[in-house]
Amino acid sequence: MGGQILSSAAQQLFLFGNQARIGQGAKPLTWDPTLAAAAEVHCARLAGESLLSHQYDGEADLSQRAGQAGAHFSLIEENIAQGDQPASIHQAWMNSPHHRENLLNPGVDRVGIAVIARGNMLYAVADFAHAVSVLTPEQVEATLSVLLEAAGVSAYGNSSGARIACAQDHGLPASLDNRHPEFIMRWQDAELSHLPPALIDRIASGKYHEAAVASCPSMSAENPFTVYRVAVLLLKP
């Protein structure tokens, strides 16, 4: 495939992109080396093919490429282009509605860019993503405990019994260290910033004062998108 990797050109596109975002009232993006690594792999393929494409025969798709490079994300998008200068590539992206939308998307906060020169042409790939924090099961459970405390329910100290609920698709465990759960909610999400409305409504009833939390294995282990699967059990008074 060949071609020369141009780090300086990638940095120019990074600066152009952030200038455009700031000009449109969007927050600037943070450079992500894992996304840049994924972009470089695809850019090498881009420079060796006769047609531009987001996925070639035998190649993993965008989300898989980024996941294999070590990125953790809940949203990912990609811009590709060829041109003679970084400035002309950036302008081409700004002139294309879809590429402009990706570049200015307020929902992304990370980017990795690769540029490869082949002959007199530059080939560029920009991978945009919304990054997701990588939390251990203990950190997930601690985060849930804080949310529950804020909602008015104390977190039960021992999560080991609650994790039994992770293996069940429905229903309640019979008991939890001689405590009896009365309501359970399981959900999966990339963000652990809030509790589900149905759970908040249950807590708001004033009937419950204690809850057990569990970090569960994801049900989509093959999915490169980073998600957390959790369970909360409201215990009988």
Side-chain angles (χ1 to χ4, degrees):
M1 295 180 186
Q4 179 185 1
I5 299 170
L6 300 180
S7 299
S8 60
Q11 287 299 316
Q12 288 182 60
L13 283 173
F14 176 58
L15 293 175
F16 289 150
N18 273 341
Q19 289 170 358
R21 288 178 64 87
I22 293 169
Q24 294 297 315
K27 292 182 179 180
L29 301 176
T30 299
W31 182 268
D32 190 309
T34 61
L35 292 174
E40 185 178 312
V41 170
H42 185 61
C43 197
R45 185 73 183 266
L46 201 74
E49 299 284 348
S50 58
L51 295 174
L52 300 184
S53 175
H54 290 283
Q55 183 177 12
Y56 294 101
D57 289 343
E59 184 184 34
D61 66 17
L62 168 61
S63 61
Q64 291 172 323
R65 294 195 303 267
Q68 290 165 0
H72 296 271
F73 49 88
S74 60
L75 168 69
I76 190 162
E77 305 169 331
E78 184 175 73
N79 281 0
I80 59 176
Q82 63 180 36
D84 58 353
Q85 296 289 335
S88 62
I89 289 173
H90 171 73
Q91 196 56 52
W93 284 343
M94 292 297 290
N95 291 340
S96 164
H98 178 69
H99 293 90
R100 178 188 176 93
E101 182 180 352
N102 287 347
L103 197 154
L104 300 180
N105 186 352
V108 299
D109 56 15
R110 300 286 191 276
V111 67
I113 304 172
V115 178
I116 291 179
R118 189 165 185 261
N120 296 321
M121 190 63 64
L122 301 183
Y123 296 85
V125 175
D127 289 344
F128 307 92
H130 178 78
V132 173
S133 300
V134 183
L135 303 178
T136 65
E138 292 75 18
Q139 289 172 324
V140 169
E141 290 167 358
T143 299
L144 284 174
S145 296
V146 170
L147 293 175
L148 287 166
E149 294 278 356
V153 174
S154 298
Y156 184 64
N158 187 355
S159 293
S160 60
R163 293 176 188 144
I164 297 172
C166 293
Q168 302 173 331
D169 291 330
H170 60 278
L172 287 161
S175 65
L176 184 69
D177 299 335
N178 297 319
R179 299 293 303 278
H180 297 286
E182 187 171 278
F183 174 82
I184 184 170
M185 177 160 286
R186 304 174 181 87
W187 73 95
Q188 186 163 285
D189 202 340
E191 305 287 348
L192 295 176
S193 58
H194 59 276
L195 299 173
L199 180 57
I200 293 175
D201 288 345
R202 281 278 182 161
I203 293 172
S205 69
K207 181 179 179 181
Y208 306 100
H209 306 289
E210 201 170 27
V213 301
S215 173
C216 306
S218 172
M219 296 183 71
S220 53
E222 300 302 318
N223 191 330
F225 290 86
T226 300
V227 294
Y228 298 104
R229 181 170 170 252
V230 296
V232 170
L233 292 77
L234 299 181
L235 306 177
K236 290 182 179 180

